[in-house]
């Protein structure tokens, strides 16, 4: 991606202090989504950076990961698989509990979403501590998916989520803060 486009994407992400709680600097991606040119560059840039040209399934994490994951899946002519918060998926599920900064959370995937041996990319808007992505990757592995990599629009590098994901395949982030 050319440096000018990358700088435009950087500039478009809006910092919202103290959301959803005091001390968190929230990276608001909605100004990128609302600009068709920037949004398209973001999707193309994420795919280009990964070097992946063919994959069976793209898994997106509830909820902003759906936005990026679904478009990445369409561009790569892959299937899209949602990983959702507890109790949202209608069919039989596989689930995993994981630790958040405060307390725990639970995410689920349909048990037939990925066939053993299928290639899979994970997509989410932002890599923070890596807890959510690690849990999603655990679910993909449990179904026998072959992980080609994890794609994020943004990485908060100071939280070192990348360290947590180190053993799960290549990690790509278009913007780093
Ligand atoms: P984590 O499990 O800590 O990597 O958190 C990742 C999830 O939390 C991502 O799906 C993000 O959407 C969200 N998230 C965490 N921190 C932020 C932040 N500072 N700004 C926006 N979203 C965030």
């Amino acid at each position: 991606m050319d440096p000018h486009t990358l700088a435009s994407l950087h500039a478009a992400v809006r910092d919202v202090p103290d959301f959803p709680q005091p001390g968190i600097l929230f990276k608001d991606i909605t100004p990128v989504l609302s600009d068709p040119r920037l949004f398209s560059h973001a999707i193309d840039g994420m795919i280009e950076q990964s070097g992946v040209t063919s994959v069976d399934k793209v898994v997106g994490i509830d909820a902003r990961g759906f936005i990026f994951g679904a478009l990445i899946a369409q561009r790569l002519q892959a299937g899209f698989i949602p990983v959702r918060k507890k109790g949202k998926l209608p069919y039989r599920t596989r689930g995993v509990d994981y630790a958040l900064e405060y307390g725990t959370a639970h995410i689920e995937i349909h048990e037939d979403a990925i066939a053993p041996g299928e290639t899979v990319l994970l997509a989410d808007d932002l890599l923070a501590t890596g807890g959510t992505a690690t849990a999603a990757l655990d679910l993909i592995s449990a179904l026998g998916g072959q992980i080609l990599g994890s794609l994020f629009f943004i990485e908060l590098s100071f939280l070192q989520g990348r360290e947590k994901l180190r053993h799960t395949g290549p990690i790509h982030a278009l913007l780093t803060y």
Side-chain angles (χ1 to χ4, degrees):
M1 172 171 288
D2 75 87
H4 179 74
T5 305
L6 204 55
S8 305
L9 287 170
H10 254 286
V13 174
R14 175 165 54 196
D15 284 349
V16 182
D18 300 320
F19 182 87
Q21 58 194 64
I24 303 289
L25 184 63
F26 194 85
K27 295 291 183 187
D28 178 15
I29 57 162
T30 60
V32 174
L33 305 182
S34 66
D35 180 321
R37 202 182 54 88
L38 286 180
F39 192 10
S40 191
H41 281 312
I43 299 300
D44 290 341
M46 288 169 75
I47 294 170
E48 183 188 285
Q49 188 188 40
S50 76
V52 172
T53 54
S54 173
V55 66
D56 295 316
K57 300 281 169 62
V58 178
V59 171
I61 304 178
D62 199 346
R64 287 181 297 271
F66 295 169
I67 301 168
F68 290 91
L71 285 172
I72 291 166
Q74 284 279 294
R75 293 273 217 279
L76 291 172
Q77 294 182 286
F80 174 74
I81 305 297
V83 159
R84 298 215 61 182
K85 289 165 189 156
K86 197 181 181 80
K88 296 288 188 185
L89 287 170
Y91 186 60
R92 289 203 297 268
T93 59
R94 194 70 83 91
V96 64
D97 290 311
Y98 64 100
L100 290 174
E101 215 172 339
Y102 301 103
T104 62
H106 183 92
I107 53 171
E108 297 176 339
I109 193 167
H110 273 153
E111 65 176 20
D112 63 351
I114 295 162
E118 279 191 314
T119 54
V120 181
L121 278 175
L122 179 70
D124 203 1
D125 65 326
L126 185 142
L127 174 63
T129 65
T132 312
T134 302
L137 290 162
D138 284 348
L139 289 177
I140 294 166
S141 296
L143 295 182
Q146 185 192 327
I147 296 159
L148 298 189
S150 300
L151 277 54
F152 302 93
F153 179 48
I154 296 172
E155 174 182 6
L156 302 182
S157 56
F158 59 92
L159 292 173
Q160 298 177 331
R162 188 176 279 267
E163 284 303 302
K164 200 175 247 172
L165 301 190
R166 208 151 32 101
H167 305 294
T168 57
I171 303 153
H172 305 281
L174 201 55
L175 307 182
T176 305
Y177 293 87

